Amino acid sequence: MRDLMIDIETLGSRPGSVILSIGAVTFDAETGQLGDEFYSAIDPETAVATGLTTDVATMMWWMKQSEDARRAAFCGERHLAPVLIEFAEFVRSAAASRVWAKPPSFDLVLLEAAFRACILPVPWHFRTHRDCRTIFDLTDTKQPDVGTVHNALDDAKGQALGVIAAYSKLRGTLPPQEQTSGKSNGGAA
């Protein structure tokens, strides 16, 4: 697929922060097709052992999120480095020419810091970064809710569906899902 959407959940907002989970989905913004998915939850202790950090404000923020979101974010049992290696393989196999995040200056930058902390190469080129917030703003598109808010995979799917809807607006056509049914499905997949 041409596009890859990435979302992460973390214990901080700066590069070098602990990453709790990574979610990603391949998609084609022009055809509306969703493809392969990636999700992994990371044991935060393994991220701290790698040198990544946490901050109190983010911990407080997590305490205010839904039980489902906290359960998904804090259930990680996998070590950071093997997850990043597996994720890099997923990214390379996707061969996406556009790597999306909301925004790349958060998700992709924090992931790049984690790759460097584990002495692993970053699996995308900086020229492939695309920003959901920009295209949503330019097209007055709202991201649909999918599953649990602040679950990295569910958020990645919602963001991908939002980009698909934005591309449809830019082309002046209905999203592909709505063309086949003849009516709006409210962005649901």
Side-chain angles (χ1 to χ4, degrees), residues 162-178:
V163 169
I164 290 167
Y167 263 72
S168 293
K169 285 183 178 182
L170 289 171
R171 288 190 318 271
T173 62
L174 289 173
Q177 308 92 307
E178 295 177 26

Side-chain angles (χ1 to χ4, degrees), residues 33-107:
Q33 184 180 7
L34 294 178
D36 295 331
E37 300 175 356
F38 177 91
Y39 180 80
S40 191
I42 298 158
D43 178 348
E45 289 181 20
T46 68
V48 170
T50 306
L52 302 182
T53 62
T54 64
D55 74 50
V56 174
T58 305
M59 292 298 291
M60 298 298 289
W61 178 86
W62 272 111
M63 292 170 64
K64 297 174 187 172
Q65 303 312 306
S66 74
E67 181 64 30
D68 288 341
R70 286 194 312 269
R71 189 176 316 115
F74 290 93
C75 71
E77 297 179 355
R78 298 192 60 207
H79 193 282
L80 175 64
V83 169
L84 290 176
I85 290 167
E86 184 180 318
F87 179 58
E89 290 170 8
F90 175 82
V91 171
R92 281 190 283 279
S93 71
S97 59
R98 298 181 293 222
V99 178
W100 294 86
K102 184 181 174 189
S105 61
F106 180 81
D107 298 77

